[in-house]
Amino acid sequence: MMPKKKQSDPYVCPNCGTKVDKPQKTWQLISPLPDSYGRITITVMGSFVCPNCGNRWKAVVSKIKAGGSSVEIEGKKGVKKIESKDSSEKAEEGEIIELDLSDLDEDEEE
């Protein structure tokens, strides 16, 4: 059996090349592990039926990477990246508390 070549457009029948308007059914697959940026990948899958030859196939409709400071949507129209307004600034820093070690020693003596 020959390996299946990756199809560039999921909306085109791999058998006869007819364009399909929309998938018959869609569902989501959520990756259990985040990527290196801490984002979770949600893959939207679709099952298609060709109106011309009746061929059935499954393909990735789109991918959504959500989490961290941005959301990335990869679909039919390309990749769209939505960043939160705070992501341009550096990560929020906590309050700095200075302690003098001699103050701690005095408390123990009392």
Side-chain angles (χ1 to χ4, degrees):
M1 189 171 156
M2 288 188 62
K4 222 177 186 181
K5 73 171 187 162
K6 190 170 186 247
Q7 194 174 340
S8 60
D9 187 5
Y11 291 87
V12 175
C13 175
N15 198 27
C16 69
T18 305
K19 184 117 170 95
V20 180
D21 291 336
K22 61 180 184 171
Q24 191 175 42
K25 178 184 171 192
T26 60
W27 65 96
Q28 292 86 25
L29 294 174
I30 300 171
S31 171
L33 299 172
D35 65 3
S36 59
Y37 300 108
R39 301 177 302 185
I40 297 293
T41 304
I42 303 165
T43 306
V44 180
M45 298 289 293
S47 71
F48 298 86
V49 177
C50 179
N52 190 30
C53 66
N55 184 36
R56 294 175 173 267
W57 73 97
K58 294 176 189 161
V60 175
V61 175
S62 65
K63 283 187 179 181
I64 302 166
K65 293 184 179 188
S69 63
S70 67
V71 175
E72 192 174 299
I73 302 167
E74 183 181 321
K76 190 163 67 167
K77 298 174 183 169
V79 178
K80 183 177 181 185
K81 197 167 188 179
I82 303 166
E83 297 226 11
S84 69
K85 294 172 186 156
D86 299 333
S87 66
S88 58
E89 302 167 13
K90 66 180 186 175
E92 191 176 312
E93 291 183 18
E95 184 181 343
I96 297 172
I97 301 171
E98 288 187 32
L99 291 174
D100 191 355
L101 294 177
S102 62
D103 292 343
L104 294 175
D105 292 339
E106 290 174 10
D107 291 342
E108 289 177 9
E109 291 171 6
E110 290 175 10

